[in-house]
Amino acid sequence: MCGIVGYIGSKKATPILIDGLMSLEYRGYDSAGIATIEKDAIKVMKDKGRVKNLYNLDGIDKLSGTVGIAHTRWATHGKPSKENAHPHMDNSGKFVVVHNGIIENYADLRDFLISKGYTFLSETDTEVIPNLIHYYYTNGPVSVLKDESEKFLGAVKSAVYDLKGSYAIEAISTICPDEVIVVRKDSPLVIGKADGENYIASDIPAILKYTKEFYLLDDNEFAIIKSNNIRFFDNSLVEHNKAVKNIEWDANAAGKDGYEDYMLKEIFEQPTSIRETIGSRFRLGEKCSFDDIEISKEYLENVNRIFFVACGTAMHAGLVGKNLMEKLCHIPTEVDIASEFRYRNPIIDEHTLCIYISQSGETADTIAALKLAKSKGAKTLAISNVIGSSITREADYSIYTHAGPEIAVASTKAYTSQVVLVAILAMHFAEILGSSDKLEIESLKKDIIDLPSKIEQILDNTEPIKDFAKKIYTEKDMFFLGRGTDYSVALEGSLKLKEISYIHSEAYAAGELKHGPIALIENGVTVIGIVTDKNLVEKSISNIQEVITRGAKTLVITNQILPNNNFDYVINIPETNPLISPILSVVPMQLLSYYISKFKGLDVDKPRNLAKSVTVE
Ligand code: M6R
């Protein structure tokens, strides 16, 4: 939530900042702004709306400063408006900050500052930060600090000490016009190191075209960034060295590659991203292996419960994981929504393995749920797409989906890669434990290897899905039905539809319909049924018949030859092991939501009210 960019070097900062914000717009897009140091003053330019609006601001092309900070906002405190947009300046005009996160005690801090004579221009929580920095700069322990730079750092540190909540902060000042100070806690921030210049961003892809050398800032770590050097400090302001990390991502992978939208590109990337997820983790006839984790038979034999904990789409991947773990490893497995798990005092001990799934690795609730399990003595394993993300740094073990950058807010390729990785993990555990028949595992491996070409077959024939989308895109309500694993993917299909098409939809376990929701079915309502498990075909079809009888229009996604054929539309997909069938059946649903959103003329990649990375509670 909210995107941050910064630059310090010899080039004009403004174009670099706006360009970086454009690629971070998926993190928030209700307002944007930049601040640059111009001779002896700081110039702030900001506005409501999309980042591109910044180009229309009067005088923005005249900015020539080579030091600057920038922000694209996802509103938490205060409506989207020019006043609430970042950057925010203190009353003296000497300190300017951008902030990602939430300051939970901002009301108290604001009252304190008002009592000291400060005034506020915005409704944001952030505006307390530059004013606190000013307060501590003018009231701080001047004598022990050597120079203006350290005095500025001391003021930032004192201000941050007062903050409760989460933050990634960039601060600049007229007092030290040749530096940017950054600090983070529970919100991501990276520094890109280049020759004679340095870049700052909320995440790596935003500045990947300038450098491959990154410092991943830790919680409660400060940095003073100049064009030629970067100094790191802990939360007592003791200076330390930090290792640079080489990031091998391809900068072009973060572009649209000729596709109209990132979401469409990412849907079509799934054959490739799944191949990357499989990587060298297994081959036919060989056991699965993970370079990144070492889990012993002795440990697994003592695990009596597994939890998958995640949010949104990642949680839906966990639902598929539950089935896999229980079937292959015979370990009772639960799936929890991270925001519930963290407050429900779950029964966890050293015999519990908690697996956290997060594309971004920065989801606040998932991180908090992970910290909780660690504090209760459980082992934690993170599944993420982002190397070095917060969740992977907290967990005991981390494994990566390697799906490449996912930019569209609606998750697609991350989901399919998460399910593939969980399937490989479950096979790995089963091989360690000897809990499954070898031939069964071998056959599942073959099915996983075949997934990319089967997805290609689905992607080669998108017209029927587009056709159906054209017929239903004006509707107000839809239903998704499935049994077993088909139910878990129905939840994902319904979520995708809601988030990018703004059509209300519900997913139900098909057998549950008659216990209430069937009252909502009336003439013309669209029902999408997913039928991929041959053991459940007849049951699922009976439930779909029940809605047809009540006038529903039906689309059935199936890999079976269905006994009757009175459905309005049928999308045939290739057959695979039912344990992993969501990886195929989700693809037509991703496309359906995509086309509906396009027919409605909506912004597919940046749906209203949403952000890619939910770093607030
Ligand atoms: O980065 P994460 O995987 O932790 O994100 C979790 C959810 O916020 C995310 O999956 C969300 O539900 C997507 N927008 C769904 O498309």
Side-chain angles (χ1 to χ4, degrees), residues 455-480:
I455 292 183
E456 273 154 7
Q457 283 177 44
I458 301 172
L459 294 174
D460 279 346
N461 189 21
T462 57
E463 277 313 306
I465 304 166
K466 195 171 181 177
D467 205 31
F468 187 67
K470 200 170 188 173
K471 290 204 159 49
I472 59 166
Y473 76 93
T474 53
E475 292 189 7
K476 298 270 176 283
D477 292 292
M478 290 189 202
F479 294 86
F480 290 76

Side-chain angles (χ1 to χ4, degrees), residues 22 24 26-27 81 137 174 208 246 249 251 321 332 350 366 383 449 458 467 488 497 502 525 565:
M22 294 278 211
L24 281 179
Y26 64 88
R27 297 182 69 93
S81 69
Y137 181 78
T174 50
L208 198 56
N246 273 303
W249 284 356
E350 68 276 18
T366 312
I383 294 183
I449 288 171
I458 301 172
D467 205 31
S488 74
L497 185 74
Y502 314 152
V525 164
N565 197 4

Side-chain angles (χ1 to χ4, degrees), residues 292-304:
D292 15 23
I293 53 172
E294 211 168 293
I295 293 192
S296 68
K297 183 171 185 189
E298 190 192 1
Y299 166 72
L300 277 180
E301 279 174 345
N302 278 302
V303 169
N304 55 23

Side-chain angles (χ1 to χ4, degrees), residues 311-314 357-361 363 409-411 418 495-496 499 614:
C311 303
T313 290
I357 309 179
S358 175
Q359 186 284 131
S360 62
T363 300
V409 166
S411 188
Q418 283 160 354
L495 175 66
K496 218 85 305 171
E499 64 179 337
V614 185

